[in-house]
Amino acid sequence: MTFAGSTSGKPARKRPILAITAAAFFASMLPAQAEKLTIWGGWPEMEPFYKRVGEQLKKKYPDLEVSVELIALREHEKRNALALPSGAAADVIEMEVEATRYLEGGLVPAAPDNVVKFVKDGKHFDKFFQDSVTFEDKIYGVPLFRGQTALYYNTDMYAKAGLSGAPKTMEDYTPYAEKLTQRDAQGKPTVSGWSLRLSGGGQGVAEKFWINLFQFGGNLLEEKDGKWKAAFANEAGRKAFKQYVENVQVLKTVSPEMKADAEAFELEQTAMFIRESWVIGDIAKKSPNLKYATAPLPRGSIVIPVNLYVPTKPGKKADLAWEYVLQANEPENLQWLLDNIGWLPNRKDVDYSAIIAKTPAFGAFVNFPSDYKFFSLPAIAPASEILTRVAARLVDGYTNPKLQSDAAIDAFLKEAAAEVDTILKREGLLATP
């Protein structure tokens, strides 16, 4: 697996410790009991997995109580932002690239020697995933699973529209969407041809735009000598943004008011969409009779590693928390995770072949062209802020009737890129020309 733009793995500069803002509020949440572990995460579908791991650990520690508290991702990020500076976070927490901000602030202890040995073993993880939990040459967490995208499409709708396979290029997606859109007598779409991410809080809108942008040969950010700059105010950015505008405003193959994403796909209210592998597990539970297939994207996919960290200060309880983290990475648990939840585990020395053979939809996520490329979010402190700011602009822009000409789109992208560069400059991370 190679990455067109990945976490740099280079030491980042030290930053001041984040302000303590909520000590009193979170004081009551401190896990004071010696035999209790609290797990926080931002993917609620992971609850049965974490409970399963807890039950396994209780066989060794009968008095152990494991509390799994999973909430929506953006709320989880806010919870971490409040609790980590005050020392009131859970014993085990999930984090993506936003972990860098807390590692820079010294708010999460480094992993103990046995965990470092496990993570650094090349049999377990590729360097990309090792780098994702490394800061200033120290290991702070353990890789668990990753977000990686592919196309999901309804095979019945494809057949009805006379389409025999997935689109080969990003330009193909629009005529496919036109053929697949179902309309009422007045021409209003009732089933979207392609469910695009048009709204929603946080950075997800920008991530989805980045995925489409990448298919046109672009990137939201690009790295130069360990620093970064906006990279989407160009032809690739214009093509990606214009495709949204054409589908929403001109062709009306989708609208912000329609059901979207996995829910729409499972209810057969959209014909295709791009999403991570967890949808396979979700479809199996909520719409087991749905006829669908998956396909790799035209050029490559985003890969976002999700890792486990232990914020608890070193000691008996932290040792127990790290034991929980390593238990989560046992082969049988990772196989169960893929088979029952659908997220792709990052540990590579585990045999997943039987699960993949049983569920062909995983094929698009593990069997892809040799020249397929991967990219990831940069592990820099302002990553979430940048994506959130870009997302806010995109949500407004997709439905703005003034943004249909190339000139208007170029100006829109130039202004958004300037805001991104301003954030990077403020953080001392802006690459020089």
Side-chain angles (χ1 to χ4, degrees), residues 162-426:
L163 301 169
S164 58
K168 302 296 184 187
T169 69
M170 207 59 200
E171 287 83 357
D172 290 341
Y173 273 65
T174 296
Y176 267 61
E178 285 187 86
K179 292 181 179 178
L180 291 164
T181 301
Q182 299 175 32
R183 305 178 188 276
D184 62 19
Q186 287 70 46
K188 182 180 179 181
T190 55
V191 173
S192 63
W194 177 16
S195 181
L196 290 158
R197 177 68 71 86
L198 303 175
S199 62
Q203 64 194 51
V205 172
E207 287 181 6
K208 300 302 181 290
F209 173 75
W210 195 342
I211 293 167
N212 292 9
L213 170 66
F214 188 77
Q215 313 311 316
F216 286 109
N219 259 311
L220 202 71
L221 299 172
E222 63 183 16
E223 183 182 13
K224 182 181 180 183
D225 299 329
K227 295 192 175 182
W228 299 81
K229 64 178 182 179
F232 55 91
N234 48 35
E235 183 179 2
R238 186 195 312 132
K239 287 181 177 178
F241 185 84
K242 194 169 186 175
Q243 187 168 50
Y244 277 84
V245 171
E246 286 179 340
N247 276 277
V248 175
Q249 298 190 37
V250 181
L251 303 173
K252 301 185 187 305
T253 64
V254 63
S255 73
E257 294 77 26
M258 302 178 79
K259 283 191 181 297
D261 214 76
E263 181 185 14
F265 192 69
E266 290 162 356
L267 293 173
E268 298 195 77
Q269 294 186 13
T270 190
M272 62 179 183
F273 78 128
I274 295 170
R275 209 58 161 102
E276 299 93 342
S277 60
W278 65 267
V279 177
I280 295 172
D282 205 55
I283 291 173
K285 293 182 180 67
K286 298 177 180 176
S287 188
N289 297 319
L290 184 70
K291 294 182 179 179
Y292 75 101
T294 59
L297 303 180
R299 180 168 178 250
S301 170
I302 195 170
V303 171
I304 302 177
V306 178
N307 308 314
L308 295 182
Y309 296 84
V310 174
T312 305
K313 292 181 180 179
K316 180 181 176 182
K317 193 167 189 182
D319 292 343
L320 190 60
W322 282 117
E323 192 171 348
Y324 179 93
V325 170
L326 293 179
Q327 184 68 30
N329 254 284
E330 282 294 308
E332 66 167 306
N333 284 330
L334 297 178
Q335 291 167 332
W336 190 93
L337 171 64
L338 180 64
D339 194 21
N340 292 275
I341 308 296
W343 283 111
L344 300 174
N346 292 332
R347 184 171 171 177
K348 64 180 182 180
D349 61 331
V350 178
D351 184 3
Y352 304 106
S353 59
I355 301 165
I356 294 169
K358 184 180 72 173
T359 310
F362 282 121
F365 296 92
V366 296
N367 302 316
F368 33 74
S370 58
D371 60 347
Y372 208 56
K373 298 183 183 303
F374 294 92
F375 70 99
S376 188
L377 304 182
I380 55 177
S384 293
E385 179 184 0
I386 289 171
L387 291 170
T388 301
R389 295 285 188 92
V390 172
R393 288 179 178 270
L394 291 172
V395 168
D396 291 338
Y398 291 151
T399 56
N400 185 345
K402 297 179 180 178
L403 295 180
Q404 295 189 14
S405 70
D406 288 355
I409 292 172
D410 287 350
F412 171 81
L413 295 175
K414 185 178 180 180
E415 186 175 316
E419 183 180 22
V420 171
D421 285 345
T422 298
I423 296 171
L424 291 167
K425 185 176 182 179
R426 184 196 71 203

